[in-house]
Amino acid sequence: MAAAALSESNDHPPPGAVELREDVPLQGGGEGRAGCAGPRLIAAAFAALSVAVALALLTQIYYGDYEVVPHGSVSASVPACSSCGAHVLRAGGGALDAAVAAALCLAAAAPHRLAALDASGSLLYWDYRREHEAAPTLAEWGAAGAAGAGGAAGEDPAVRAWDTDPARPPRLLAALAALHAQLGLLPWSRLLQPAIDYAESVGTNAPTSVTEAPGGGAAPELCAVWRCAALLRAGPAPSLPAPGWRAYSGTAAAPALRLALARPGPGPRPGPGPALSAGLLAGGAGGARTAVATGLAVADPRGAYVALVTAGAGGWRRDPAGPALDLAPALIADQLVCGSRYVIGAGSSAALADTARALAAGASPAAAVEAARSPAGGAGGAGGAPEAAVNVVLQRGDALAAHADSRAGGLAARF
């Protein structure tokens, strides 16, 4: 009887007693389990935290500081045109799409810099991440880089026939349509609309207004009618000999850029230097005609770059015979895969040379663009025309920096 009582007392200890048997944690049920945070509550808390972190990151990407989360940049001589290009990049467009939108905007916004729909042009395109070992593509049209483009001996007969056709389309529009058919990502109408909106907002009545440009159809369809292939002179851009750099430029600006990179300045903000100035004034720019051109620079999130410079006689007139127009787009990269890469759209070869020399010496884009230039570098067109302006985009690793020349009143745009 006493043994039975003892056994019963061991099976059911009095209230408050501590169980020391090994099988107690394995027994189900029991009081106090309702207050325990089970796995479902832990998983829900973790999911809520993940959602909060994701929302914070998305907010930072779309609304945060550009220096923290850089995606793409457009630098043009008119702030509204930089914004047009940046909006195209945000909508999923590539570097060529943004350059088309910005160039068409400049045709409506900068007639004083000969940015017209019938302008000649020089464009460099480089898909760096996919083909960083390959040369960029150089595309030129009109009198850019072709000594015979105005009608001298040696001109391509197909180009001459196209250019003298009274029913031909404007050169800039046809060239951009041809390039868009090969490299564009967004519909042609999407790229033309920002320029139309800008032209209508400022009420421009210029005869070469972008509002008169055809907006329907895709670029391949337009080029089938316009015979765009007969206009473009395109191929791999020749590499310029520059120690420590991979440098490419338009045909007219190549001699000046080669000279500049061969003589970089010693300080962080070097002056033009008498030797460089003398070389440019003595014909280092290749004898190109002085003109006030309009340039822009683009870098997109996919690692593609575009440098574009346009100029011309204005209206639907043919460029006069003689040397090539002084159009100076450039792409400069150091030898490291994730090193510095500069996209430059300059209004003259001499201005490009001064800027490239400063950049090669370590100056920031803002310091290089805004620095005092040699007489050749600062000279614009004759008769009180604006000075040659430079637009630069720099990508170093994942960091972006851009600057538009205050001489033109430009402002770079990023997102």
Side-chain angles (χ1 to χ4, degrees), residues 210-356:
V210 74
T211 57
E212 300 175 10
E221 298 172 356
L222 293 176
C223 282
V225 177
W226 289 348
R227 297 179 290 117
C228 301
L231 169 67
L232 281 180
R233 302 180 295 275
S239 179
L240 304 179
W245 298 93
R246 301 176 64 190
Y248 308 89
S249 184
T251 304
L257 181 60
R258 183 187 304 113
L259 178 63
L261 293 179
R263 304 175 183 177
R269 292 189 61 182
L276 177 60
S277 300
L280 293 174
L281 291 174
R289 292 200 303 271
T290 300
V292 182
T294 301
L296 59 88
V298 181
D300 74 9
R302 301 170 180 84
Y305 309 118
V306 168
L308 170 63
V309 182
T310 63
W316 257 253
R317 295 176 297 163
R318 197 160 184 251
D319 292 326
L325 289 172
D326 190 10
L327 309 185
L331 294 169
I332 307 173
D334 61 25
Q335 300 296 343
L336 300 177
V337 174
C338 294
S340 300
R341 300 178 292 279
Y342 299 96
V343 189
I344 308 172
S348 73
S349 298
L352 169 64
D354 283 338
T355 303

Side-chain angles (χ1 to χ4, degrees), residues 87-253:
H87 287 316
V88 167
L89 291 179
R90 184 188 291 274
L96 195 279
D97 296 312
V100 170
L104 293 175
C105 173
L106 286 171
H112 61 294
R113 288 187 170 271
L114 301 182
L117 289 181
D118 198 46
S120 299
S122 181
L123 179 144
L124 284 164
Y125 175 86
W126 199 6
D127 192 343
Y128 183 83
R129 290 187 181 179
R130 294 184 180 179
E131 301 176 355
H132 68 273
E133 294 298 332
T137 297
L138 172 63
E140 296 182 316
W141 59 93
E155 180 184 13
D156 186 344
V159 175
R160 178 178 177 84
W162 189 95
D163 208 18
T164 55
D165 185 352
R168 69 169 177 82
R171 283 174 295 208
L172 176 63
L173 201 63
L176 293 179
L179 292 167
H180 175 266
Q182 302 174 22
L183 303 169
L185 300 179
L186 296 182
W188 174 257
S189 58
R190 173 67 179 82
L191 309 181
L192 188 64
Q193 191 60 45
I196 295 176
D197 294 340
Y198 176 84
E200 292 177 345
S201 68
V202 298
T204 179
N205 293 316
T208 56
S209 170
V210 74
T211 57
E212 300 175 10
E221 298 172 356
L222 293 176
C223 282
V225 177
W226 289 348
R227 297 179 290 117
C228 301
L231 169 67
L232 281 180
R233 302 180 295 275
S239 179
L240 304 179
W245 298 93
R246 301 176 64 190
Y248 308 89
S249 184
T251 304

Side-chain angles (χ1 to χ4, degrees), residues 344 350-360 365 368-369 373 390 392:
I344 308 172
L352 169 64
D354 283 338
T355 303
R357 181 173 183 264
L359 292 172
V369 169
R373 298 180 188 154
V390 181
V392 176

